[in-house]
Amino acid sequence: MTATSYVLGNLLGRLVASWVIVWLVCWVFSRFDWRVALRRSRRWPAWLAVAVLFALGLGQLFGKGAS
């Protein structure tokens, strides 16, 4: 149970961190209007960017050989 919780927490944390990075980029491009940034971060290109960042994070994790 502990290992499963650790893995799920790690994956969820990486997913949230990826979304926050994409939201921050949207926030800057929307001239620091958080509502517009939130709306932009829910579009499909933003979710594609989240998926790419998430995959890159996992690739970096497995590339190091971490367990």
Side-chain angles (χ1 to χ4, degrees), residues 6-58:
Y6 175 77
V7 170
L8 289 177
N10 193 344
L11 292 176
L12 184 62
R14 285 181 185 276
L15 188 62
V16 169
S18 298
W19 181 79
V20 167
I21 291 169
V22 169
W23 183 83
L24 285 172
V25 170
C26 291
W27 183 59
V28 169
F29 281 114
S30 63
R31 297 185 182 166
F32 306 107
D33 185 352
W34 67 271
R35 289 184 182 114
V36 174
L38 188 62
R39 203 167 33 246
R40 286 182 178 179
S41 70
R42 287 187 274 162
R43 294 181 182 162
W44 73 266
W47 283 109
L48 181 63
V50 168
V52 168
L53 281 173
F54 179 74
L56 286 173
L58 286 181

